[in-house]
Amino acid sequence: MLSKIEEAYNKRDLELLDALAIPTFREINRSNTFRCALMLSCNNIKHLSKIASLEADCIILNLEDGVAKEEKPFALVLAAIFLTKHKKCDKKLVVRVNALHEGGYEEITYLNQFMPDAIRVPKIKNAKEVKDVLALLNDDIDLHLSIETAESWHNLASLAVNHRVSAFYLGILDLFADMGLSQALININNPTMHYMLSHFLITAKAMHVKPVSFVFQEFQDLQGFKAWLELEREMGYMAKGCISPQQVKLINEIFVDKEAEIKRAKVIVKLFEMHKEEGITGFVDDEYGFIDEPIYKGALKLLES
């Protein structure tokens, strides 16, 4: 199958590629406990083929920034194909579409049949746009919002119009640009940054929405990234966007709620053993997502340590 995908893509044959995107039932991963939101560009087949082996617990299948205009139709179909390849996935698979009036509405319509765990909408502005998206989006799919316009920041407390709006992502670069603020302010000691991180966190938490902190673009500066993680962990953050496996590793090391991890492991062990008595060794839980024997063994190992 992978060779056929690569062949169609390399030939730039969108019709042939689209023929490989066959809608199929997916078991939605309803867990919202993810820590790492790792960005993967959907026109990179090599990266998409590694989804199962990645250590991140949330994969952002990206159609927007970083995907050239001529690549976007191919990226959309590749996102659909790789969703069908992961009918059950312990990672949350979220598709970041383009801005609503730049193809986003059409992409959501197309993706509905492939059942991503969530759709992430960039450049959102107000509650009306959120309601419009929810009216279009399949009822089983969650909605995530990128907060990266001045208008969305101003309207932040009004954007969670119902329970399906389950995560906000802080898009700091675009947000600063839209506000006319210098990127030089994105400094770990800057009080403006401390205020924005605090306001974003508390507002999201008050609405029972998951706040995901901004992507640190200087992916080779792991010391700088670690410093941001430690500050955000102290503030109360437990999730961050990222763009490299090294960043994923640091997030997994620092954003750890030990009590929650132990509680999760105990529930997984109990659920798996209950299902196993009925001959079921792979199933989806509404809170913890897909659970199978490797995940069960991992939970046992955590409890034994």
Side-chain angles (χ1 to χ4, degrees), residues 149-161:
T149 66
E151 192 172 344
S152 67
W153 183 266
H154 180 72
N155 293 321
L156 187 60
S158 68
L159 297 179
V161 298

Side-chain angles (χ1 to χ4, degrees), residues 202-214:
I202 297 302
T203 305
K205 287 284 190 179
M207 294 182 289
H208 305 288
V209 174
K210 186 181 190 73
V212 183
S213 189
F214 68 95

Side-chain angles (χ1 to χ4, degrees), residues 1-13:
M1 176 68 168
L2 187 58
S3 61
K4 291 182 179 180
I5 296 169
E6 291 174 333
E7 180 184 1
Y9 177 73
N10 291 333
K11 286 183 176 179
R12 314 303 290 166
D13 191 333

Side-chain angles (χ1 to χ4, degrees), residues 172 176 181-198 214 228 231 235:
I172 199 71
F176 270 35
L181 293 173
S182 169
Q183 291 185 12
L185 296 175
I186 306 173
N187 180 296
I188 198 164
N189 296 312
N190 189 292
T192 299
M193 280 301 301
H194 290 200
Y195 164 74
M196 294 189 79
L197 285 168
S198 300
F214 68 95
W228 278 108
L231 172 66
M235 284 183 163

Side-chain angles (χ1 to χ4, degrees), residues 87-157:
K87 296 178 178 64
K88 295 179 181 179
C89 192
D90 60 337
K91 307 174 199 314
K92 199 168 189 72
L93 301 183
V94 180
V95 181
R96 182 169 81 159
V97 298
N98 285 282
L100 294 176
H101 296 290
E102 297 175 13
Y105 283 121
E106 292 79 7
E107 289 166 347
I108 292 168
T109 301
Y110 174 79
L111 289 165
N112 268 334
Q113 61 190 318
F114 296 98
M115 300 298 292
D117 299 321
I119 289 288
R120 176 176 164 184
V121 176
K123 312 292 191 297
I124 201 74
K125 293 179 180 178
N126 51 53
K128 181 184 181 304
E129 286 188 341
V130 178
K131 291 175 182 177
D132 288 345
V133 173
L134 286 171
L136 182 64
L137 189 62
N138 186 301
D139 289 343
D140 290 325
I141 301 172
D142 276 357
L143 179 58
H144 293 184
L145 304 176
S146 293
I147 307 304
E148 50 192 357
T149 66
E151 192 172 344
S152 67
W153 183 266
H154 180 72
N155 293 321
L156 187 60

Side-chain angles (χ1 to χ4, degrees), residues 233-246:
R233 176 70 180 88
E234 187 175 353
M235 284 183 163
Y237 281 92
M238 286 299 290
K240 189 169 182 66
C242 55
I243 54 177
S244 76
Q246 292 78 18

